[in-house]
Amino acid sequence: MKEILDAILSSDSTSADFANVKLPESYRAVTLHKDEEQMFAGLASRDKDPRRSLHLDDVPLPELGPGEALVAVMASAVNYNTVWSSIFEPVSTFGFLERYGRLSPLTKRHDLPYHVLGSDLAGVVLRTGAGVNAWKPGDEVVAHCLSVELESSDGHNDTMMDPEQRIWGFETNFGGLAQLALVKTNQLMPKPAHLTWEEAASPGLVNSTAYRQLVSRNGAGMKQGDNVLIWGASGGLGSYATQYALAGGATPVCVVSSPEKADICRAMGAEAIIDRSAEGYKFWKDEQNQDPREWKRFGGRIRELTGGEDVDIVFEHPGRETFGASVYVTRKGGTIVTCASTSGYMHQYDNRYLWMSLKRIVGSHFANYREAWEANRLVAKGKIHPTLSKVYTLEQTGQASLDVHQNRHQGKVGVLCLAPEEGLGVRDAELRAEHLPAINRFRDI
């Protein structure tokens, strides 16, 4: 591994140098173990500790297949799917690997008694498989997490519709929380030159998800002048939604849970902010019944901030806890677009406020390659900025996942993999200097 790292850190390395570097027989990776699937049985979600289930193991180097790339991972990041994986909720990810393994002899590689996690990376291509022309050893890349087979016609208008669509490092093996990773080459995108490895690794999943959910015609199709309600506006997803709303001429109404998170939204440029903890919103009377009076109070607060207007779009991801309120406060003809359910999957809402007011609920899941490419391009141009708040080592991934599980984090948390320290990998110092305050925004608060 030292030879690989030396080549990456050297300014003189050529593509041929990377193509000829000796590959190790094994590498270090953050894994789950299949024989521990039941380790948290009987515990409430909040009591499940990722530090117990996530292991740092030496694992064998996987075989490289056609259309694939082996990437030396300098940095990765923790997403909520890492948390779900680590606590085996809502299901064990080993079921995903088993089903994928039945697809073909090549995908059988993924069905293993261990699962290498991670759906983000920034690194350097070491090898490419047969049929790859667009990428070569030595290319500095980031990866989006959409894995598709594209053998069905269904996926050729929007690759997210491919019946064999999966999230790499969650529903497939050989993810990015490791020294090396195996990806399809149609997951690769150029690394933004002005960012460090850890900064470049952090936007991938959440930036692309927010772009499709809010900006793309496949999501809400946000336009100038829209009022956009953003739950968790300083978090991993919400911080990108807030940036897209501001950059696109919309007005974000940012919902946060503390004064510190409100300050982050103000630093991004948002003015309409609701601290739901300080204002005491309780949308559920008990486990079975919501409180429409709280929906109404929440809607009134939104109108105070928007000059009497309701929101055109709700950027939803908490799910059960907030969904009834989200449907209620959306304007007539507006859109609730949802990509997750971190507080619970069984949503309840009063359908009268949906059908009689001609509102739409749109499901959104990650992004297709084009959407991910556009989202990454905006980062590379300095239009959208990483929201990295803290960086952990690969050995500390369990703690990083626990912090995300318990919502102790702001924005995104990064993980150093092969990178020996923070701050490496910047190729465009001039562009970086221009945007440094925004790049460090989440680290300075």
Side-chain angles (χ1 to χ4, degrees):
M1 212 58 79
K2 182 179 185 301
E3 184 180 352
I4 293 173
L5 182 57
D6 287 346
I8 294 172
L9 296 180
S10 171
S11 59
D12 300 324
S13 296
T14 66
S15 180
D17 292 329
F18 285 100
N20 293 321
V21 72
K22 183 179 179 180
L23 298 179
E25 294 183 357
S26 64
Y27 63 101
R28 302 189 85 196
V30 174
T31 68
L32 292 175
H33 294 176
K34 190 173 185 177
D35 61 5
E36 294 181 345
E37 284 179 305
Q38 300 303 316
M39 68 185 304
F40 296 129
L43 291 178
S45 294
R46 64 180 177 274
D47 297 326
K48 297 178 182 180
D49 188 343
R51 294 174 300 182
R52 292 180 55 200
S53 58
L54 295 178
H55 306 274
L56 186 58
D57 293 331
D58 285 324
V59 300
L61 190 70
E63 174 191 356
L64 182 65
E68 295 180 341
L70 183 69
V71 180
V73 184
M74 294 298 278
S76 185
V78 171
N79 293 289
Y80 216 88
N81 69 14
T82 311
V83 175
W84 286 329
S85 300
S86 70
I87 63 176
F88 303 103
E89 288 190 10
V91 295
S92 167
T93 57
F94 288 98
F96 300 145
L97 302 186
E98 290 166 8
R99 286 192 291 275
Y100 192 31
R102 291 194 290 266
L103 186 64
S104 73
L106 192 64
T107 63
K108 181 64 177 173
R109 296 170 300 164
H110 293 257
D111 184 8
L112 295 167
Y114 59 88
H115 187 180
V116 180
L117 302 178
S119 299
D120 282 322
L121 72 72
V124 179
V125 175
L126 297 179
R127 298 285 192 277
T128 57
V132 176
N133 301 302
W135 304 96
K136 63 184 186 302
D139 286 342
E140 296 188 349
V141 296
V142 293
H144 71 78
C145 62
L146 175 62
S147 173
V148 289
E149 306 304 315
L150 290 181
E151 292 188 297
S152 166
S153 63
D154 293 349
H156 283 263
N157 186 43
D158 174 9
T159 50
M160 285 301 301
M161 297 298 180
D162 185 59
E164 299 296 339
Q165 171 267 318
R166 292 173 174 83
I167 298 299
W168 161 72
F170 176 57
E171 295 167 298
T172 76
N173 219 322
F174 315 122
L177 285 165
Q179 294 175 323
L180 301 175
L182 189 69
V183 300
K184 296 178 184 295
T185 53
N186 60 12
Q187 292 176 239
L188 297 178
M189 304 178 293
K191 173 189 170 291
H194 66 298
L195 299 181
T196 65
W197 294 112
E198 62 274 11
E199 291 162 356
S202 67
L205 185 152
V206 286
N207 183 37
S208 301
T209 300
Y211 182 92
R212 180 182 175 107
Q213 188 176 356
L214 194 55
V215 179
S216 170
R217 69 188 68 179
N218 290 314
M222 184 190 73
K223 65 183 185 302
Q224 289 181 324
D226 280 347
N227 293 313
V228 183
L229 180 68
I230 302 171
W231 293 101
S234 71
L237 275 171
S239 56
Y240 286 97
T242 300
Q243 291 187 70
Y244 280 119
L246 291 166
T251 298
V253 180
C254 298
V255 185
V256 296
S257 58
S258 72
E260 294 77 17
K261 294 180 178 182
D263 287 341
I264 289 177
C265 292
R266 293 188 186 96
M268 285 189 284
E271 297 178 358
I273 299 170
I274 298 174
D275 182 341
R276 59 181 300 199
S277 296
E279 299 184 28
Y281 294 104
K282 296 185 182 300
F283 299 127
W284 288 80
K285 297 176 184 177
D286 52 49
E287 283 294 317
Q288 303 300 323
N289 299 288
Q290 297 189 62
D291 189 347
R293 294 172 301 178
E294 285 291 88
W295 300 347
K296 186 174 182 179
R297 182 166 76 94
F298 186 59
R301 180 71 176 112
I302 290 170
R303 292 190 200 99
E304 289 176 7
L305 295 170
T306 60
E309 298 179 339
D310 292 324
V311 291
D312 302 274
I313 299 167
V314 178
F315 185 89
E316 247 288 347
H317 53 93
R320 175 179 168 82
E321 184 181 352
T322 59
F323 206 82
S326 293
V327 172
Y328 179 84
V329 301
T330 307
R331 72 181 291 271
K332 188 172 185 177
T335 301
I336 304 98
V337 59
T338 177
C339 74
S341 297
T342 53
S343 68
Y345 303 98
M346 300 302 291
H347 299 187
Q348 294 181 24
Y349 61 91
D350 189 329
N351 199 43
R352 292 172 297 176
Y353 297 113
L354 186 78
W355 103 68
M356 296 180 71
S357 293
L358 305 169
K359 302 174 186 181
R360 297 186 306 147
I361 295 174
V362 176
S364 186
H365 182 42
F366 188 59
N368 61 40
Y369 193 12
R370 183 62 185 174
E371 291 161 340
W373 189 282
E374 291 291 343
N376 183 65
R377 176 174 173 267
L378 290 170
V379 174
K381 292 172 73 71
K383 304 293 186 182
I384 299 294
H385 305 289
T387 61
L388 187 69
S389 61
K390 189 174 182 180
V391 179
Y392 298 77
T393 64
L394 200 58
E395 291 81 0
Q396 296 170 325
T397 303
Q399 183 63 53
S401 300
L402 179 65
D403 289 349
V404 173
H405 182 31
Q406 297 183 342
N407 198 29
R408 297 174 184 169
H409 68 302
Q410 311 281 12
K412 283 294 293 288
V413 296
V415 176
L416 296 180
C417 298
L418 277 176
E421 59 185 347
E422 296 180 45
L424 303 176
V426 175
R427 309 303 181 212
D428 188 341
E430 184 176 353
L431 182 62
R432 181 178 182 81
E434 181 182 346
H435 296 292
L436 194 57
I439 293 169
N440 287 329
R441 183 183 291 137
F442 277 66
R443 309 197 85 176
D444 292 340
I445 293 178

